[in-house]
């Protein structure tokens, strides 16, 4: 509320001056525009589409381990962690549905998703990150490590990459 009232009050004060009327509106607008463009990839829609597809592919039990490594940050290096996750009985039965993507930079995004276990919601509004690596948007290694640790598989911290 304070942030909303502050610019409004400043605009009112500038109204009285006459010439300041054009200064306050452009100030917030360029900040938002600059912030939005600096924190998103050039083709935002394509990036969002790829993130959704790759997250769903990664969490699809029918996807092979080899294919999962292609959509996981540092996939080859993270293979032991991926095996720990997929080796867990529940890990091999989960699927994800991305519900929200917020870009934090042109190559990183916060991802909100729902994790289901055999079709039932197991983890609603889960938070993870996606990273653009070698031209592909991927599930971040830290997201996978967090899920392995939540699964109760204590080996996650001992596996290289986490």
């Amino acid at each position: 509320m304070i942030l909303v009232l502050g610019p409004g009050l400043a605009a009112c004060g500038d109204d009285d001056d006459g010439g300041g009327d054009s200064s306050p509106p452009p100030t917030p607008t360029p900040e938002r525009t600059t912030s939005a463009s600096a924190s998103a990839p050039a083709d935002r829609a394509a990036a969002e589409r790829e993130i959704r597809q790759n997250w769903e592919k990664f969490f699809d039990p029918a996807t092979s381990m080899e294919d999962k490594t292609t959509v996981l940050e540092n996939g080859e290096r993270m293979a032991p962690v991926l095996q720990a996750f997929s080796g867990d009985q529940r890990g091999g039965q989960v699927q994800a549905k991305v519900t929200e993507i917020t870009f934090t930079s042109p190559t990183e995004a916060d991802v909100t998703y729902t994790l289901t276990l055999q079709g039932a919601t197991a983890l609603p509004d889960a938070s993870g990150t996606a990273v653009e690596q070698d031209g592909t948007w991927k599930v971040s290694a830290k997201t996978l490590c967090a899920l392995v640790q939540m699964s109760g598989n204590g080996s996650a911290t001992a596996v290289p990459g986490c």
Side-chain angles (χ1 to χ4, degrees), residues 68-108:
K68 287 183 184 206
T69 63
T70 66
V71 293
L72 174 63
E73 177 187 21
N74 302 321
E76 293 299 319
R77 191 179 68 190
M78 294 297 294
V81 181
L82 181 56
Q83 288 179 344
F85 176 70
S86 296
D88 178 276
Q89 182 179 347
R90 294 165 295 185
Q93 300 170 345
V94 298
Q95 291 185 290
K97 173 104 174 109
V98 174
T99 56
E100 186 177 346
I101 298 167
T102 305
F103 291 100
T104 56
S105 80
T107 58
E108 292 186 17

Short mmCIF file of all heavy atoms in Angstrom, two decimals, residues 68-108:
data_model
loop_
_atom_site.label_atom_id
_atom_site.label_comp_id
_atom_site.label_asym_id
_atom_site.label_seq_id
_atom_site.Cartn_x
_atom_site.Cartn_y
_atom_site.Cartn_z
N LYS A 68 15.82 -37.89 -19.80
CA LYS A 68 15.71 -36.99 -18.65
C LYS A 68 17.00 -36.20 -18.46
O LYS A 68 16.95 -35.02 -18.10
CB LYS A 68 15.38 -37.78 -17.38
CG LYS A 68 13.94 -38.27 -17.36
CD LYS A 68 13.61 -38.99 -16.08
CE LYS A 68 12.19 -39.54 -16.16
NZ LYS A 68 11.56 -39.70 -14.88
N THR A 69 18.14 -36.82 -18.70
CA THR A 69 19.40 -36.10 -18.53
C THR A 69 19.53 -34.94 -19.52
O THR A 69 20.22 -33.97 -19.23
CB THR A 69 20.64 -37.02 -18.65
OG1 THR A 69 20.69 -37.58 -19.95
CG2 THR A 69 20.65 -38.09 -17.59
N THR A 70 18.85 -35.02 -20.66
CA THR A 70 18.93 -33.94 -21.65
C THR A 70 18.16 -32.70 -21.22
O THR A 70 18.40 -31.62 -21.75
CB THR A 70 18.45 -34.39 -23.05
OG1 THR A 70 17.06 -34.69 -22.99
CG2 THR A 70 19.23 -35.58 -23.56
N VAL A 71 17.21 -32.85 -20.30
CA VAL A 71 16.42 -31.70 -19.84
C VAL A 71 16.70 -31.38 -18.37
O VAL A 71 15.93 -30.68 -17.72
CB VAL A 71 14.90 -31.91 -20.08
CG1 VAL A 71 14.61 -31.93 -21.58
CG2 VAL A 71 14.39 -33.15 -19.41
N LEU A 72 17.83 -31.87 -17.87
CA LEU A 72 18.28 -31.60 -16.50
C LEU A 72 19.58 -30.82 -16.57
O LEU A 72 20.50 -31.21 -17.31
CB LEU A 72 18.48 -32.91 -15.73
CG LEU A 72 19.08 -32.79 -14.33
CD1 LEU A 72 18.16 -32.00 -13.39
CD2 LEU A 72 19.34 -34.20 -13.75
N GLU A 73 19.67 -29.75 -15.82
CA GLU A 73 20.90 -28.97 -15.76
C GLU A 73 22.08 -29.88 -15.41
O GLU A 73 22.00 -30.65 -14.46
CB GLU A 73 20.76 -27.86 -14.72
CG GLU A 73 22.01 -27.02 -14.54
CD GLU A 73 21.90 -26.04 -13.38
OE1 GLU A 73 21.05 -26.24 -12.47
OE2 GLU A 73 22.67 -25.07 -13.39
N ASN A 74 23.13 -29.81 -16.19
CA ASN A 74 24.32 -30.66 -15.99
C ASN A 74 23.91 -32.13 -15.92
O ASN A 74 24.39 -32.88 -15.07
CB ASN A 74 25.09 -30.25 -14.74
CG ASN A 74 25.53 -28.80 -14.78
OD1 ASN A 74 25.94 -28.30 -15.82
ND2 ASN A 74 25.44 -28.12 -13.66
N GLY A 75 23.04 -32.53 -16.82
CA GLY A 75 22.43 -33.86 -16.81
C GLY A 75 23.39 -35.02 -16.65
O GLY A 75 23.15 -35.91 -15.85
N GLU A 76 24.47 -35.02 -17.39
CA GLU A 76 25.43 -36.14 -17.30
C GLU A 76 26.04 -36.21 -15.91
O GLU A 76 26.15 -37.27 -15.31
CB GLU A 76 26.53 -36.01 -18.37
CG GLU A 76 26.01 -36.18 -19.79
CD GLU A 76 25.39 -37.56 -20.03
OE1 GLU A 76 25.95 -38.56 -19.55
OE2 GLU A 76 24.35 -37.60 -20.71
N ARG A 77 26.45 -35.06 -15.40
CA ARG A 77 27.06 -35.01 -14.07
C ARG A 77 26.05 -35.33 -12.96
O ARG A 77 26.40 -35.87 -11.91
CB ARG A 77 27.68 -33.63 -13.84
CG ARG A 77 28.57 -33.59 -12.59
CD ARG A 77 29.17 -32.24 -12.40
NE ARG A 77 28.11 -31.31 -12.06
CZ ARG A 77 28.25 -30.01 -12.01
NH1 ARG A 77 29.38 -29.45 -12.31
NH2 ARG A 77 27.24 -29.24 -11.68
N MET A 78 24.77 -34.99 -13.22
CA MET A 78 23.72 -35.20 -12.23
C MET A 78 23.09 -36.59 -12.31
O MET A 78 22.16 -36.89 -11.57
CB MET A 78 22.64 -34.13 -12.38
CG MET A 78 23.10 -32.71 -12.05
SD MET A 78 23.61 -32.53 -10.34
CE MET A 78 22.06 -32.79 -9.51
N ALA A 79 23.58 -37.45 -13.20
CA ALA A 79 22.99 -38.78 -13.39
C ALA A 79 22.85 -39.56 -12.09
O ALA A 79 21.81 -40.18 -11.86
CB ALA A 79 23.78 -39.56 -14.43
N PRO A 80 23.85 -39.55 -11.18
CA PRO A 80 23.67 -40.29 -9.93
C PRO A 80 22.50 -39.76 -9.08
O PRO A 80 21.78 -40.54 -8.46
CB PRO A 80 25.00 -40.11 -9.19
CG PRO A 80 25.99 -39.80 -10.26
CD PRO A 80 25.22 -39.03 -11.30
N VAL A 81 22.32 -38.46 -9.07
CA VAL A 81 21.21 -37.86 -8.32
C VAL A 81 19.89 -38.24 -8.98
O VAL A 81 18.92 -38.60 -8.31
CB VAL A 81 21.35 -36.33 -8.23
CG1 VAL A 81 20.20 -35.73 -7.41
CG2 VAL A 81 22.68 -35.95 -7.63
N LEU A 82 19.87 -38.18 -10.30
CA LEU A 82 18.67 -38.55 -11.05
C LEU A 82 18.31 -40.00 -10.78
O LEU A 82 17.15 -40.34 -10.58
CB LEU A 82 18.89 -38.31 -12.54
CG LEU A 82 17.72 -38.64 -13.46
CD1 LEU A 82 16.47 -37.88 -13.07
CD2 LEU A 82 18.10 -38.33 -14.90
N GLN A 83 19.31 -40.86 -10.73
CA GLN A 83 19.05 -42.27 -10.43
C GLN A 83 18.51 -42.45 -9.02
O GLN A 83 17.63 -43.27 -8.78
CB GLN A 83 20.29 -43.11 -10.67
CG GLN A 83 20.59 -43.25 -12.14
CD GLN A 83 21.85 -44.06 -12.42
OE1 GLN A 83 22.68 -44.28 -11.55
NE2 GLN A 83 21.98 -44.51 -13.66
N ALA A 84 19.04 -41.66 -8.07
CA ALA A 84 18.54 -41.73 -6.69
C ALA A 84 17.07 -41.32 -6.64
O ALA A 84 16.26 -41.94 -5.96
CB ALA A 84 19.38 -40.84 -5.77
N PHE A 85 16.73 -40.27 -7.41
CA PHE A 85 15.34 -39.79 -7.44
C PHE A 85 14.45 -40.82 -8.13
O PHE A 85 13.40 -41.19 -7.61
CB PHE A 85 15.26 -38.45 -8.17
CG PHE A 85 13.86 -37.93 -8.33
CD1 PHE A 85 13.15 -37.47 -7.22
CD2 PHE A 85 13.25 -37.88 -9.56
CE1 PHE A 85 11.86 -36.99 -7.35
CE2 PHE A 85 11.96 -37.40 -9.71
CZ PHE A 85 11.27 -36.95 -8.60
N SER A 86 14.86 -41.29 -9.29
CA SER A 86 14.04 -42.24 -10.04
C SER A 86 14.02 -43.62 -9.38
O SER A 86 13.07 -44.37 -9.55
CB SER A 86 14.55 -42.36 -11.47
OG SER A 86 14.41 -41.12 -12.13
N GLY A 87 15.07 -43.93 -8.63
CA GLY A 87 15.14 -45.22 -7.95
C GLY A 87 14.21 -45.30 -6.75
O GLY A 87 13.80 -46.37 -6.34
N ASP A 88 13.86 -44.13 -6.19
CA ASP A 88 12.91 -44.09 -5.09
C ASP A 88 11.56 -44.50 -5.66
O ASP A 88 11.16 -44.04 -6.74
CB ASP A 88 12.85 -42.66 -4.52
CG ASP A 88 11.84 -42.53 -3.41
OD1 ASP A 88 10.64 -42.33 -3.73
OD2 ASP A 88 12.22 -42.63 -2.24
N GLN A 89 10.85 -45.36 -4.98
CA GLN A 89 9.57 -45.87 -5.47
C GLN A 89 8.63 -44.74 -5.88
O GLN A 89 8.01 -44.77 -6.93
CB GLN A 89 8.92 -46.75 -4.40
CG GLN A 89 7.60 -47.35 -4.84
CD GLN A 89 7.00 -48.23 -3.74
OE1 GLN A 89 7.66 -48.56 -2.78
NE2 GLN A 89 5.75 -48.58 -3.91
N ARG A 90 8.56 -43.71 -5.05
CA ARG A 90 7.65 -42.59 -5.35
C ARG A 90 8.19 -41.75 -6.50
O ARG A 90 7.44 -41.25 -7.32
CB ARG A 90 7.45 -41.72 -4.12
CG ARG A 90 6.71 -42.46 -3.01
CD ARG A 90 6.85 -41.74 -1.71
NE ARG A 90 8.27 -41.77 -1.34
CZ ARG A 90 8.76 -41.32 -0.22
NH1 ARG A 90 7.98 -40.76 0.65
NH2 ARG A 90 10.04 -41.39 0.06
N GLY A 91 9.52 -41.57 -6.57
CA GLY A 91 10.13 -40.75 -7.61
C GLY A 91 9.81 -41.25 -9.00
O GLY A 91 9.66 -40.47 -9.94
N GLY A 92 9.70 -42.55 -9.16
CA GLY A 92 9.38 -43.13 -10.46
C GLY A 92 7.91 -43.08 -10.81
O GLY A 92 7.52 -43.54 -11.88
N GLN A 93 7.09 -42.51 -9.92
CA GLN A 93 5.65 -42.44 -10.16
C GLN A 93 5.11 -41.01 -10.18
O GLN A 93 3.91 -40.81 -10.21
CB GLN A 93 4.91 -43.23 -9.06
CG GLN A 93 5.30 -44.68 -9.00
CD GLN A 93 4.73 -45.36 -7.75
OE1 GLN A 93 4.28 -44.72 -6.81
NE2 GLN A 93 4.78 -46.68 -7.75
N VAL A 94 6.01 -40.04 -10.16
CA VAL A 94 5.56 -38.65 -10.10
C VAL A 94 5.47 -38.02 -11.48
O VAL A 94 6.16 -38.44 -12.42
CB VAL A 94 6.47 -37.77 -9.20
CG1 VAL A 94 6.46 -38.26 -7.78
CG2 VAL A 94 7.86 -37.68 -9.77
N GLN A 95 4.60 -37.05 -11.57
CA GLN A 95 4.49 -36.21 -12.75
C GLN A 95 4.34 -34.77 -12.27
O GLN A 95 3.95 -34.53 -11.12
CB GLN A 95 3.29 -36.62 -13.60
CG GLN A 95 3.50 -37.97 -14.27
CD GLN A 95 2.37 -38.32 -15.21
OE1 GLN A 95 1.27 -38.58 -14.76
NE2 GLN A 95 2.66 -38.31 -16.49
N ALA A 96 4.67 -33.84 -13.15
CA ALA A 96 4.58 -32.43 -12.78
C ALA A 96 3.78 -31.66 -13.80
O ALA A 96 3.84 -31.93 -14.99
CB ALA A 96 5.98 -31.83 -12.67
N LYS A 97 3.03 -30.70 -13.29
CA LYS A 97 2.28 -29.77 -14.14
C LYS A 97 2.70 -28.37 -13.73
O LYS A 97 2.51 -27.96 -12.59
CB LYS A 97 0.77 -29.96 -13.93
CG LYS A 97 -0.07 -28.95 -14.64
CD LYS A 97 -0.69 -29.57 -15.87
CE LYS A 97 -1.66 -28.60 -16.52
NZ LYS A 97 -1.18 -28.07 -17.77
N VAL A 98 3.34 -27.66 -14.65
CA VAL A 98 3.80 -26.31 -14.38
C VAL A 98 2.59 -25.38 -14.35
O VAL A 98 1.76 -25.39 -15.26
CB VAL A 98 4.81 -25.85 -15.45
CG1 VAL A 98 5.18 -24.39 -15.27
CG2 VAL A 98 6.06 -26.73 -15.41
N THR A 99 2.50 -24.58 -13.28
CA THR A 99 1.37 -23.67 -13.15
C THR A 99 1.77 -22.20 -13.31
O THR A 99 0.93 -21.38 -13.66
CB THR A 99 0.67 -23.85 -11.78
OG1 THR A 99 1.64 -23.68 -10.74
CG2 THR A 99 0.05 -25.24 -11.69
N GLU A 100 3.05 -21.88 -13.06
CA GLU A 100 3.48 -20.49 -13.19
C GLU A 100 4.98 -20.44 -13.45
O GLU A 100 5.74 -21.22 -12.89
CB GLU A 100 3.16 -19.72 -11.91
CG GLU A 100 3.45 -18.24 -12.00
CD GLU A 100 3.06 -17.49 -10.74
OE1 GLU A 100 2.33 -18.04 -9.89
OE2 GLU A 100 3.50 -16.34 -10.61
N ILE A 101 5.37 -19.49 -14.30
CA ILE A 101 6.78 -19.27 -14.61
C ILE A 101 7.06 -17.79 -14.45
O ILE A 101 6.35 -16.96 -15.03
CB ILE A 101 7.12 -19.71 -16.06
CG1 ILE A 101 6.85 -21.20 -16.22
CG2 ILE A 101 8.56 -19.36 -16.41
CD1 ILE A 101 6.86 -21.68 -17.66
N THR A 102 8.07 -17.46 -13.65
CA THR A 102 8.47 -16.07 -13.46
C THR A 102 9.96 -15.97 -13.79
O THR A 102 10.78 -16.59 -13.10
CB THR A 102 8.23 -15.62 -12.00
OG1 THR A 102 6.87 -15.85 -11.67
CG2 THR A 102 8.57 -14.16 -11.82
N PHE A 103 10.28 -15.24 -14.82
CA PHE A 103 11.68 -15.11 -15.22
C PHE A 103 12.41 -14.18 -14.25
O PHE A 103 11.91 -13.11 -13.92
CB PHE A 103 11.79 -14.60 -16.65
CG PHE A 103 11.34 -15.62 -17.65
CD1 PHE A 103 10.06 -15.55 -18.20
CD2 PHE A 103 12.17 -16.67 -18.00
CE1 PHE A 103 9.63 -16.51 -19.10
CE2 PHE A 103 11.73 -17.65 -18.90
CZ PHE A 103 10.47 -17.57 -19.45
N THR A 104 13.57 -14.61 -13.79
CA THR A 104 14.40 -13.81 -12.90
C THR A 104 15.60 -13.25 -13.64
O THR A 104 16.28 -12.36 -13.13
CB THR A 104 14.86 -14.64 -11.69
OG1 THR A 104 15.55 -15.81 -12.16
CG2 THR A 104 13.66 -15.07 -10.84
N SER A 105 15.88 -13.77 -14.81
CA SER A 105 16.93 -13.28 -15.70
C SER A 105 16.65 -13.87 -17.08
O SER A 105 15.76 -14.72 -17.21
CB SER A 105 18.32 -13.71 -15.19
OG SER A 105 18.60 -15.05 -15.55
N PRO A 106 17.40 -13.49 -18.09
CA PRO A 106 17.16 -14.09 -19.41
C PRO A 106 17.46 -15.59 -19.45
O PRO A 106 17.03 -16.28 -20.37
CB PRO A 106 18.12 -13.31 -20.32
CG PRO A 106 18.33 -12.01 -19.62
CD PRO A 106 18.31 -12.34 -18.17
N THR A 107 18.18 -16.12 -18.44
CA THR A 107 18.55 -17.53 -18.46
C THR A 107 18.08 -18.30 -17.23
O THR A 107 18.48 -19.45 -17.02
CB THR A 107 20.08 -17.70 -18.58
OG1 THR A 107 20.70 -17.02 -17.48
CG2 THR A 107 20.58 -17.13 -19.90
N GLU A 108 17.25 -17.70 -16.38
CA GLU A 108 16.75 -18.38 -15.19
C GLU A 108 15.29 -17.99 -14.95
O GLU A 108 14.88 -16.88 -15.25
CB GLU A 108 17.57 -18.01 -13.95
CG GLU A 108 18.97 -18.55 -13.99
CD GLU A 108 19.74 -18.31 -12.69
OE1 GLU A 108 19.11 -18.02 -11.65
OE2 GLU A 108 20.97 -18.41 -12.74
#
